[in-house]
């Protein structure tokens, strides 16, 4: 194909009736001031979308437009172009054609990129046009880092086997650039791949014959790579140095945190080390700083739950408890509520271990038990700081819970979490902890229980017929209506790394402490309270909410059943 000619993008979009002359003039003024690309100004201003621009350019060049959101690209084809050049030129080989090689480009009018593509590929190029964001996502999928991680692990093992090599050089401790240290290259690849696949945790686990690296993606662990166990010590040592832990202590667990800047964004890392039979196991929780905090509007709470939570946090005092197991999204929900309350008229203090998210304008305190800065001690001090809203990371013991309850009774809005199985059992759990009945009844405003379920990948979603066991289970919740619903699952594709899922969403249930529940709590038996709470909830239970998502085609029957199994267990 001949070299594409330059296109006056503004004129083309006016010709295609996608923008007006006034919008072009406005964009040209901004381009002169900022120096940004004209197409990006059109998109950011909301005049057109990336796909509309790409399709218009494709029509002008008489080239095909390709939708890369779900396209499967063979790795051996993609890697005909080295990753560095592919990202710089925004180009990706797609497939071999009769005449040469089809290559997608985000900006096919970039003459320098076109010339370099011809030089590197040495093939006849059949041009295709793609939206830039789709192409960048396809680059991430195509240049998968599993082989790169395994290669860096092998390089580290080879260097460790070299007795003449200085150990400090291997760890990046010498005066030379730390970026070239073998363990630094390995960890950099691990973090970049974890961020690309949306992993929430990285597990580095020494076994007898291998060092296993696993990622937790959408709540499920996946093996990323396995390496020689001899590199485990070097990896753990480097991570302890990065997080300021005691590198000489290998017999006791340690906790810390550090910050990593990567190509795809910045990540806060919480690290936990634990001595095991074959070395130190390291688990890292990744908190991406690129997405920002969610607002309540974006948490996608069901309407009834959203209304109840907003009513509770609009009160000047009382306690809101979010319950569920570890990793059920409790902190995300609480911080979304805190985001809603955060303004110049309120004094907000959080007491956490650890502080997971930074929220501007909020006074956040990190609990440190080793210097006796406990939840209870910080909470007592917090009450002398004249707060309006207090967030307590977790009600861990009777003392902390009692101080929080008293604060809720004396004019403060208190938000916190508790590890309980469901909403009705939460007030009873507080009583079991030793909190007086009247205090639980009068201070609690709302108890919100939640779980996370995986969402079906939209790119590979397809209808599925429930098996007899699933149908029988669904009938317990839906009755004869089960035949009216369609159910879906994901068959697996490159976008979701062949898991069939992409992301997670919450399922919820809640109880509000109405006058009836307060009186039952104060005067009735525990079974009476549980019965009254379940009557208030009706069908708005965790189990029913999970089934609802399955009937809407947002999650699978298997995921809904998993939630039910957790509740039954």
């Amino acid at each position: 194909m001949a070299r594409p000619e330059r296109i006056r993008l503004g004129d083309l979009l006016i010709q295609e009736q996608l923008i007006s002359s006034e919008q072009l003039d406005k964009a040209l003024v901004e381009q002169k001031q900022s120096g940004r690309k004209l197409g990006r100004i059109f998109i950011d201003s909301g005049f057109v979308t990336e796909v509309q621009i790409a399709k218009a350019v494709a029509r002008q060049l008489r080239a095909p437009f390709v939708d890369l959101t779900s396209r499967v690209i063979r790795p051996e084809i993609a890697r005909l172009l080295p990753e560095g050049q592919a990202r710089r030129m925004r180009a990706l080989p797609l497939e071999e054609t009769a005449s040469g090689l089809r290559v997608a480009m985000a900006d096919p009018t970039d003459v320098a990129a076109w010339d370099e593509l011809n030089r590197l590929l040495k093939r006849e190029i059949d041009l295709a046009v793609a939206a830039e964001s789709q192409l960048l996502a396809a680059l991430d999928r195509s240049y998968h880092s599993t082989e790169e991680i395994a290669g860096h692990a092998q390089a580290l093992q080879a260097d460790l086997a070299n007795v003449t090599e200085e150990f400090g050089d291997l760890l990046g401790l010498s005066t030379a650039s730390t970026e070239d240290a073998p363990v630094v290259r390995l960890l950099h690849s691990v973090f970049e791949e974890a961020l690309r696949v949306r992993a929430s945790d990285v597990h580095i686990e020494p076994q007898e014959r291998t060092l296993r690296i696993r990622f937790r993606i959408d709540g499920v662990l996946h093996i990323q790579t396995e390496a020689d166990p001899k590199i485990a010590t070097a990896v753990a040592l480097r991570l302890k140095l990065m997080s300021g832990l005691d590198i000489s202590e290998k017999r006791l667990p340690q906790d810390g945190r550090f910050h990593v800047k990567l190509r795809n964004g910045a990540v806060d890392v919480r690290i936990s080390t634990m001595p095991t039979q074959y070395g130190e196991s390291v688990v890292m929780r990744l908190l991406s700083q690129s997405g920002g905090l969610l607002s309540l509007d974006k948490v996608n709470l069901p309407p009834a739950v959203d209304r109840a939570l907003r009513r509770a946090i609009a009160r000047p005092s009382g306690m809101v408890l979010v319950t569920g197991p570890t990793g059920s999204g409790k902190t995300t929900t609480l911080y979304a509520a805190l985001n809603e309350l955060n303004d110049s008229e309120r004094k907000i203090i959080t007491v956490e271990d650890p502080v997971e998210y930074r929220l501007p304008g909020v006074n956040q305190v990190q609990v440190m038990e080793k210097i006796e800065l406990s939840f209870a001690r910080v909470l007592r001090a917090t009450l002398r700081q004249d707060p309006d809203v207090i967030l307590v990371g977790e009600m861990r013991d009777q003392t902390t819970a009692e101080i929080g309850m008293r604060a809720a009774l004396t004019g403060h809005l208190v938000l916190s979490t508790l590890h309980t199985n469901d909403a009705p059992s939460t007030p009873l759990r507080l009583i079991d902890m030793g909190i007086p009945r009247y205090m639980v009844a009068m201070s609690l405003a709302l108890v919100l229980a939640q779980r996370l379920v995986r969402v079906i990948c939209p790119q590979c979603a397809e209808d599925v017929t429930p098996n007899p066991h699933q149908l029988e289970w669904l009938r317990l919740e839906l009755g004869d209506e089960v035949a009216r619903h369609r159910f879906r699952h994901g068959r697996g594709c490159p976008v979701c790394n062949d898991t069939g899922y992409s992301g997670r969403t919450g399922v919820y249930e809640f109880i509000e402490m109405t006058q009836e529940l307060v009186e039952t709590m104060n005067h009735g038996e525990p079974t009476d309270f549980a019965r009254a709470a379940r009557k208030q909830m009706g069908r708005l239970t965790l189990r029913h909410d999970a089934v609802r998502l399955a009937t809407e085609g947002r999650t699978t029957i298997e995921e809904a059943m998993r939630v039910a199994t957790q509740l039954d267990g």
Side-chain angles (χ1 to χ4, degrees):
M1 181 176 178
R3 175 197 285 183
E5 297 180 0
R6 285 202 172 275
I7 294 174
R8 293 176 63 89
L9 184 60
D11 294 340
L12 173 62
L13 296 181
I14 288 178
Q15 179 184 322
E16 294 271 340
Q17 297 183 345
L18 293 173
I19 65 170
S20 65
S21 299
E22 292 77 13
Q23 289 173 326
L24 174 59
D25 292 340
K26 182 179 178 180
L28 288 170
V29 170
E30 185 174 337
Q31 183 190 39
K32 189 173 182 179
Q33 294 172 344
S34 65
R36 295 194 300 154
K37 286 188 174 183
L38 194 58
R40 178 50 53 188
I41 294 172
F42 289 142
I43 295 165
D44 291 345
S45 301
F47 299 157
V48 289
T49 65
E50 270 188 324
V51 171
Q52 286 176 316
I53 290 179
K55 286 182 175 179
V57 171
R59 285 192 291 270
Q60 180 70 13
L61 296 177
R62 294 183 175 83
F65 166 81
V66 288
D67 183 350
L68 296 178
T69 52
S70 58
R71 189 180 183 112
V72 178
I73 301 165
R74 287 159 45 203
E76 64 271 19
I77 296 294
R79 288 170 186 164
L80 291 172
L81 188 63
E83 181 180 2
Q85 282 91 336
R87 292 187 181 280
R88 182 166 50 82
M89 295 184 289
R90 299 291 195 265
L92 178 64
L94 301 179
E95 60 191 359
E96 292 180 322
T97 63
S99 57
L101 188 66
R102 173 156 291 137
V103 178
M105 295 185 71
D107 182 7
T109 64
D110 185 337
V111 175
W114 177 264
D115 290 341
E116 189 167 357
L117 274 176
N118 279 275
R119 181 182 63 80
L120 290 170
L121 296 174
K122 298 181 174 62
R123 304 270 290 274
E124 178 69 23
I125 295 176
D126 290 338
L127 176 66
V129 184
E132 184 175 22
S133 62
Q134 291 183 10
L135 191 137
L136 290 174
L139 287 173
D140 287 339
R141 297 195 303 270
S142 301
Y143 295 97
H144 204 275
S145 298
T146 302
E147 295 177 8
E148 180 184 349
I149 292 170
H152 288 321
Q154 291 172 2
L156 175 57
Q157 168 57 21
D159 284 346
L160 286 170
N162 184 357
V163 294
T164 63
E165 187 81 49
E166 287 290 337
F167 196 62
D169 293 340
L170 298 176
L171 298 176
L173 305 180
S174 66
T175 55
S177 172
T178 61
E179 294 178 4
D180 295 327
V183 72
V184 174
R185 294 198 300 270
L186 169 62
L187 291 173
H188 186 83
S189 296
V190 167
F191 287 130
E192 288 226 323
E193 180 65 4
L195 195 60
R196 186 190 75 79
V197 299
R198 301 175 293 101
S200 61
D201 303 82
V202 176
H203 292 239
I204 300 177
E205 304 161 321
Q207 308 291 310
E208 184 178 7
R209 294 185 175 86
T210 186
L211 175 67
R212 186 170 62 177
I213 299 177
R214 296 194 288 174
F215 291 168
R216 188 178 294 279
I217 304 170
D218 295 335
V220 178
L221 281 170
H222 301 267
I223 293 178
Q224 177 62 24
T225 192
E226 293 185 330
D228 195 300
K230 294 175 183 176
I231 71 171
T233 300
V235 172
L237 180 57
R238 178 66 198 180
L239 288 169
K240 288 164 79 172
L241 284 166
M242 293 169 69
S243 48
L245 301 181
D246 184 354
I247 62 174
S248 65
E249 181 56 79
K250 300 179 182 179
R251 302 164 299 169
L252 296 174
Q254 296 187 68
D255 298 304
R257 70 187 306 157
F258 58 91
H259 188 75
V260 178
K261 289 184 178 179
L262 303 168
R263 178 180 59 203
N264 298 331
V267 180
D268 271 339
V269 183
R270 282 167 40 195
I271 178 173
S272 170
T273 70
M274 184 176 67
T276 67
Q277 186 177 4
Y278 300 109
E280 286 185 283
S281 170
V282 181
V283 176
M284 293 176 285
R285 168 65 56 90
L286 309 182
L287 302 168
S288 175
Q289 301 301 300
S290 57
L293 284 171
L294 290 178
S295 65
L296 273 183
D297 294 329
K298 295 182 179 177
V299 176
N300 294 323
L301 297 172
V305 178
D306 184 71
R307 290 192 296 270
L309 182 55
R310 289 181 186 275
R311 280 196 300 270
I313 65 175
R315 296 172 51 157
S317 64
M319 176 173 283
V320 176
L321 278 179
V322 181
T323 77
T326 301
S328 58
K330 300 186 297 294
T331 303
T332 300
T333 301
L334 282 181
Y335 261 91
L338 213 58
N339 223 357
E340 195 81 9
L341 295 167
N342 188 19
D343 59 37
S344 60
E345 297 178 356
R346 291 186 179 94
K347 170 92 169 186
I348 301 176
I349 301 178
T350 75
V351 186
E352 303 171 77
D353 184 21
V355 175
E356 292 195 17
Y357 302 101
R358 272 77 169 182
L359 192 57
V362 173
N363 303 277
Q364 297 174 274
V365 182
Q366 167 76 56
V367 169
M368 297 184 70
E369 296 286 353
K370 61 185 176 183
I371 61 169
E372 299 182 1
L373 191 66
S374 64
F375 272 105
R377 186 171 185 176
V378 175
L379 201 47
R380 287 191 185 97
T382 295
L383 294 175
R384 296 191 288 270
Q385 290 279 312
D386 187 29
D388 297 293
V389 181
I390 303 170
L391 183 146
V392 185
E394 183 184 344
M395 293 297 177
R396 291 190 174 181
D397 51 52
Q398 178 184 351
T399 305
T400 304
E402 194 162 332
I403 297 171
M405 293 278 178
R406 290 191 186 280
L409 286 173
T410 55
H412 305 88
L413 179 63
V414 181
L415 312 178
S416 190
T417 69
L418 192 65
H419 289 271
T420 57
N421 210 29
D422 55 23
S425 66
T426 300
L428 304 176
R429 168 72 180 125
L430 290 167
I431 293 172
D432 287 343
M433 290 171 66
I435 311 301
R437 278 188 177 213
Y438 80 89
M439 191 178 289
V440 175
M442 298 304 295
S443 62
L444 269 184
L446 176 77
V447 178
L448 175 64
Q450 66 179 74
R451 298 287 192 279
L452 292 177
V453 295
R454 291 183 287 176
V455 175
I456 298 169
C457 173
Q459 302 301 330
C460 62
E462 60 184 16
D463 289 349
V464 65
T465 302
N467 62 41
H469 174 63
Q470 292 171 338
L471 276 174
E472 190 65 31
W473 182 83
L474 287 166
R475 283 196 184 96
L476 295 176
E477 198 68 36
L478 298 173
D480 294 336
E481 291 183 9
V482 66
R484 296 172 47 195
H485 295 288
R486 293 170 54 199
F487 298 94
R488 314 198 83 196
H489 76 159
R491 67 177 179 276
C493 68
V495 173
C496 62
N497 296 299
D498 293 317
T499 64
Y501 297 98
S502 180
R504 290 188 290 176
T505 191
V507 294
Y508 307 89
E509 69 181 21
F510 69 93
I511 56 171
E512 293 180 281
M513 291 300 288
T514 60
Q515 189 61 37
E516 178 187 354
L517 287 185
V518 169
E519 291 177 1
T520 307
M521 170 65 69
N522 278 326
H523 306 295
E525 293 296 322
T527 53
D528 296 332
F529 177 83
R531 190 181 303 112
R534 293 192 182 283
K535 179 181 177 182
Q536 184 197 95
M537 290 194 306
R539 297 191 71 189
L540 298 176
T541 63
L542 287 167
R543 185 194 301 264
H544 185 77
D545 205 24
V547 171
R548 175 184 63 82
L549 291 177
T551 60
E552 292 175 357
R554 295 177 60 195
T555 194
T556 60
I557 302 171
E558 291 86 352
E559 281 292 285
M561 293 177 72
R562 181 177 61 82
V563 169
T565 302
Q566 290 177 352
L567 295 171
D568 295 339

